[in-house]
Amino acid sequence: QHIYGNTRLQDNNWYKVKMTYDGATVKIYINDVVDSSAPKTGRMPVVSQQVWIGWGEPGVDQYFKGIIDDVAIYDYAKV
């Protein structure tokens, strides 16, 4: 499921960014406020592919230009 946020992030600012999935909806939060959502049903697939934080789709080589700090991944929605 592709989902895009609505907030235009500004350079030289820190943002708290979260993404959740509750079995019905994928949501993006910016600084604890829902920024965007998209419908999605079913379970998240279990894949053997590694998780890459700050990297685009495989083969595209889009790297995040900034600092990523304090990353956590949970198996439940923590809002």
Side-chain angles (χ1 to χ4, degrees), residues 41-77:
T41 57
R43 298 183 58 86
M44 295 295 267
V46 176
V47 297
S48 61
Q49 181 178 342
Q50 295 179 352
V51 174
W52 293 90
I53 306 293
W55 181 54
E57 294 183 41
V60 179
D61 290 337
Q62 299 171 329
Y63 293 95
F64 176 75
K65 295 178 182 134
I67 298 171
I68 298 174
D69 184 31
D70 199 18
V71 174
I73 299 173
Y74 298 90
D75 62 353
Y76 58 92

Side-chain angles (χ1 to χ4, degrees), residues 2-79:
H2 284 90
I3 183 170
Y4 299 93
N6 294 309
T7 300
R8 185 168 183 88
L9 303 180
Q10 302 297 315
D11 289 346
N12 301 314
N13 288 307
W14 283 95
Y15 295 92
K16 181 179 183 180
V17 180
K18 294 189 280 186
M19 181 179 277
T20 63
Y21 175 59
D22 63 8
T25 307
V26 177
K27 294 179 184 174
I28 295 176
Y29 294 80
I30 304 293
N31 296 331
D32 293 323
V33 176
V34 176
D35 185 66
S36 183
S37 64
K40 168 82 172 127
T41 57
R43 298 183 58 86
M44 295 295 267
V46 176
V47 297
S48 61
Q49 181 178 342
Q50 295 179 352
V51 174
W52 293 90
I53 306 293
W55 181 54
E57 294 183 41
V60 179
D61 290 337
Q62 299 171 329
Y63 293 95
F64 176 75
K65 295 178 182 134
I67 298 171
I68 298 174
D69 184 31
D70 199 18
V71 174
I73 299 173
Y74 298 90
D75 62 353
Y76 58 92
K78 185 175 179 169
V79 180

